Amino acid sequence: MKKAINELLSKKYAPPNYRIYGKEIKEGYAAPCFFTEILDRGSSAETKNFAKGGFTVKITYFQKEKNELDQLEKVDEIKDLFGLIFFVENRKLTVGEFTHDYIGEYQDILQINIQIDYKENTQREETAPIAEGLGVKVTQG
């Protein structure tokens, strides 16, 4: 999942102009850059054979120089990148709510939140052997 998100961003924002980091990097990063993070929202059974679940993708954008117009352009560009369906290998995941906010001490760091929803087939294949015959013994007593 994370690899697919980072690859999608890298297509639009290619290195060396932009770098993409994980949340484990606390210092030594080079701006402009993106930090990506995935937060699991859990899953719940819908039926005997299907569950629904989701996660939130957080993309935080650090600029070299603060520029609100550039931030708003990034919001539109990233929204277009994800579209309505997010592809991860052979799976198609529904892009839900897309929001952005500003974080940091001065509320000047762009953070985009993308809700991704999915349905999962939970039906399990039977692994026990199938009975081929039935023996019945009737007694009186």
Side-chain angles (χ1 to χ4, degrees):
M1 207 69 65
K2 178 93 175 230
K3 183 179 176 185
I5 292 164
N6 290 347
E7 285 176 356
L8 185 64
L9 283 174
S10 292
K11 287 179 185 175
K12 177 76 177 171
Y13 307 107
N17 297 332
Y18 294 90
R19 299 203 185 277
I20 299 172
Y21 299 102
K23 69 178 188 172
E24 64 277 359
I25 303 299
K26 304 291 185 214
E27 55 187 51
Y29 54 87
C33 63
F34 296 95
F35 281 79
T36 59
E37 180 180 359
I38 297 174
L39 302 172
D40 186 12
R41 293 192 332 249
S43 65
S44 61
E46 274 198 336
T47 68
K48 177 183 171 187
N49 297 321
F50 285 95
K52 70 176 180 176
F55 56 91
T56 301
V57 175
K58 285 186 178 272
I59 301 171
T60 307
Y61 175 51
F62 286 86
Q63 299 172 297
K64 269 190 179 177
E65 296 178 21
K66 301 301 177 194
N67 179 333
E68 185 179 16
L69 178 59
D70 176 51
Q71 290 174 327
L72 294 173
E73 287 172 348
K74 294 296 184 280
V75 170
D76 286 341
E77 291 169 356
I78 291 172
K79 186 174 185 177
D80 288 344
L81 274 178
F82 278 84
L84 298 174
I85 304 293
F86 177 57
F87 295 90
V88 179
E89 295 176 2
N90 63 345
R91 292 192 70 178
K92 297 176 185 177
L93 307 173
T94 305
V95 176
E97 188 175 356
F98 184 100
T99 60
H100 73 278
D101 201 359
Y102 296 94
I103 62 170
E105 185 178 349
Y106 302 106
Q107 302 293 300
D108 60 351
I109 300 168
L110 175 65
Q111 187 169 73
I112 296 170
N113 296 301
I114 306 164
Q115 306 288 331
I116 306 283
D117 302 309
Y118 62 86
K119 294 196 185 274
E120 187 171 26
N121 183 348
T122 57
Q123 184 176 9
R124 302 291 178 230
E125 225 178 273
E126 292 295 330
T127 57
I130 298 174
E132 294 185 18
L134 178 65
V136 178
K137 183 176 180 181
V138 180
T139 59
Q140 292 203 356

